[in-house]
Amino acid sequence: RDLDAKKSFSIMKEVSRMAYELLAKSDHQLGMCLRMLYAEGIRSSIPVHSAKNEKGKMEFLVTVPVDDAQFEVLERRYQTLIG
C-alpha cells in the first residue's frame, strides 16, 4: 500500500488492538528493527510491507504483534537505535 506524506512522518501507527507498525526509512533501519525484535523474543513471522515515499525512496512498515505496554518499550528502543 502507498504511504502518503502524513504517514511517512509517523514512526508508528496502531494497526489493530494488538498490533502496531514501525517505520523503517532504509534497509539499514529495517535490519536494525528486525534484529531488535528477534532479540526481544519476537521470532514469529513478522509482516513487512514496502512502498515508495513521495520522494521515490523505499520505506518499510514492520507489523509488530504486541500489546500497548510492550510496544512502548520497543518503540523507545527502536528510536534509540535509529536516532
Side-chain angles (χ1 to χ4, degrees), residues 1-34:
R1 75 182 194 227
D2 291 339
L3 295 175
D4 61 25
K6 291 180 183 175
K7 288 182 185 174
S8 67
F9 285 104
S10 174
I11 192 67
M12 69 169 195
K13 169 180 108 142
E14 186 175 0
V15 176
S16 70
R17 188 178 175 109
M18 299 299 280
Y20 291 88
E21 288 182 338
L22 293 169
L23 175 64
K25 293 189 175 190
S26 69
D27 57 346
H28 181 71
Q29 286 184 0
L30 176 61
M32 288 192 301
C33 180
L34 294 174

